[in-house]
Amino acid sequence: MTESAPAGTAAAGGSGKATNKRDLVLALDAGSPVISVAVGVGGETLAARAVALERSSTQLLALVAEVLAAVAARPADLAGVVALAGPGSFTGLRVGLATALGLVQGLGVPAQALPALTVMAAASGAPPGTLVVAAVDALRGEWSAQAFRAGPVPRPLGEMTLVPAGELLTRLVPGEEVGAIREPGTSATSETALIIAFGVSTLTRGGDAAGGRARFQEAPPLAPAALRLAAALPRASWRAASLAAPIYSRPPATTSPKPPGAPPPPAPAPETAPP
């Protein structure tokens, strides 16, 4: 079965009725350059839709309606909701998480927000144990990135880091003298890493492929991988509160409100003409 559909189309096998509507889970990714929605059972995608980010803000609920219609289901048939928490588009993340939270509150079903980098590593399809670096463009020449060992639930090898485009491997996959992420019997200095991202051509221009230490993969729509990853986690570990905790590459650029009674800022000194 195809994991994800081309933009605006159903996934293969995405028509007809689901085998058990009581087990249907909906996954949403509204923060990536390719927005995706998928519905499935037990981690298997039954229907999916994907559109470009710039078209997503007015289409997310329509995409949800389409994937549910593709499996002859209604929102009331959902048993859970999964959403990607970021990093990603600031506005897109908030739209996706708010949509998921609204569904959860209206339906009273379990929910879980998943880190986008973990889902991206799962979407790589790399064999278990492969060194995978997932990266999201954070603009200003930097990427939010994290290294993992591939598996049904990718194992993080460190925290998410903001890294210049040309330094993913040197910063996230250090040599043996640095310690950090070496599996028994393997060498971090000679191991080839799989780097997965949306827009990998930007990274290859950054020089991370030097020395043959990396191969690159363009990220697919992530909602189907989110379904698989969520199915591998115990349902008891799902927390609807995670939908209120987006992951940003940088702190949002906001101005804190002044406390009540705070004096106004001093007026600028008047300009004087030169003598």
Side-chain angles (χ1 to χ4, degrees), residues 180-200:
I181 58 172
R182 183 172 62 86
E183 293 288 295
T186 66
S187 170
T189 56
S190 61
E191 185 174 8
T192 299
L194 171 63
I195 298 178
I196 181 170
F198 290 101
V200 291

Side-chain angles (χ1 to χ4, degrees), residues 200-221:
V200 291
S201 59
T202 304
L203 288 173
T204 57
R205 289 196 300 269
D208 275 310
R213 290 186 59 207
R215 54 192 179 93
F216 293 83
Q217 178 179 334
E218 184 71 20

Side-chain angles (χ1 to χ4, degrees), residues 154-273:
R155 180 165 63 85
L157 301 176
E159 300 296 327
M160 181 184 80
T161 306
L162 204 59
V163 184
E167 300 180 12
L168 284 182
L169 293 186
T170 56
R171 294 277 293 275
L172 294 174
V173 188
E176 288 184 289
E177 69 278 6
V178 181
I181 58 172
R182 183 172 62 86
E183 293 288 295
T186 66
S187 170
T189 56
S190 61
E191 185 174 8
T192 299
L194 171 63
I195 298 178
I196 181 170
F198 290 101
V200 291
S201 59
T202 304
L203 288 173
T204 57
R205 289 196 300 269
D208 275 310
R213 290 186 59 207
R215 54 192 179 93
F216 293 83
Q217 178 179 334
E218 184 71 20
L222 298 182
L227 285 180
R228 294 196 304 271
L229 183 57
L233 300 174
R235 187 66 63 92
S237 69
W238 288 28
R239 296 183 304 107
S242 62
L243 296 174
I247 301 171
Y248 298 124
S249 296
R250 300 181 182 87
T254 59
T255 301
S256 300
K258 294 183 297 183
E271 294 184 1
T272 58

Side-chain angles (χ1 to χ4, degrees), residues 66-109:
E66 288 179 21
V67 295
L68 291 176
V71 295
R74 302 172 302 163
D77 295 318
L78 292 173
V81 177
V82 176
L84 268 66
S89 159
F90 176 81
T91 301
L93 289 175
R94 295 174 71 86
V95 168
L97 291 171
T99 300
L101 186 58
L103 289 169
V104 168
Q105 291 177 337
L107 300 173
V109 296

